[in-house]
Amino acid sequence: MLLDPRGPRFAAGLTAIVFIVILATGAWWLALAQAVVFAITAVDPRKGPYSLIYRSAVAPRLKPPTEREPAAPVRFAQALGGVFALTAAIAFGAGGTAGTAVGVTAAAFGLAAAFLNSAFGLCLGCELYLAARRMTGRPLAARIQTDD
C-alpha cells in the first residue's frame, strides 16, 4: 500500500492540535480518544479518521501527488504515537503529581513528534522504523516517485 505523504502530514497537524489541548487541559479522555485514532490508523492508514478528512476535504483541492510513500513506516509511527497517547491518558486519569508529570511528558513527546511531521515532514516514528529495517538488513525505500 502506498500513501500520499501529504495525508500523514495533515493528520500530524490535527494530532498536534489535539496534543496542545491535552497539555492545556489534562483531559485524559481526549488523550484516550487520540490513542483510539492512532490505533485505527495503525491498522489501516487509509481508514484513520484524519485520513478520511484529508481524502474527502483536502485532497480533492490539491494536484495529484508526485510521490508516494510506503504505509508500513506510517503504521509503525501511528502505533508508537498510540503508546504516547495511551500513556498520557492513563497518567492524567490517575491524577496526582506523578500522574500529571508523566501525562505532560508523554503528551509533550507526542506533540513534538506531531509538530515535526506536520511542519517539516520529519516523521520520527517512520525514521525509527526505517532505521530498524536497515539494522536488520531489510531496507525499505522511503519514497517512491510517480509518473503523474
Side-chain angles (χ1 to χ4, degrees):
M1 171 186 343
L2 296 175
L3 305 172
D4 177 349
R6 300 170 297 182
R9 283 186 75 176
F10 172 81
L14 294 179
T15 300
I17 293 167
V18 171
F19 273 122
I20 289 169
V21 173
I22 292 168
L23 285 166
T25 64
W28 67 268
W29 58 269
L30 185 56
L32 184 60
Q34 182 60 50
V36 170
V37 168
F38 278 132
I40 293 167
T41 309
V43 171
D44 186 346
R46 296 171 301 173
K47 295 202 170 105
Y50 301 157
S51 176
L52 295 175
I53 294 168
Y54 172 78
R55 285 201 332 268
S56 64
V58 178
R61 294 172 171 77
L62 303 174
K63 292 181 182 178
T66 58
E67 60 186 19
R68 300 221 178 237
E69 63 185 7
V74 174
R75 292 175 63 185
F76 178 81
Q78 293 294 306
L80 192 59
V83 170
F84 284 107
L86 186 59
T87 300
I90 293 168
F92 281 129
T97 304
T100 300
V102 171
V104 166
T105 302
F109 277 120
L111 172 59
F115 174 77
L116 287 173
N117 192 356
S118 66
F120 303 109
L122 175 61
C123 174
L124 295 178
C126 300
E127 293 300 325
L128 284 172
Y129 176 86
L130 294 171
R133 294 283 300 207
R134 282 189 295 271
M135 288 173 38
T136 60
R138 300 181 342 221
L140 177 71
R143 295 191 184 261
I144 299 169
Q145 294 294 113
T146 61
D147 293 332
D148 295 345

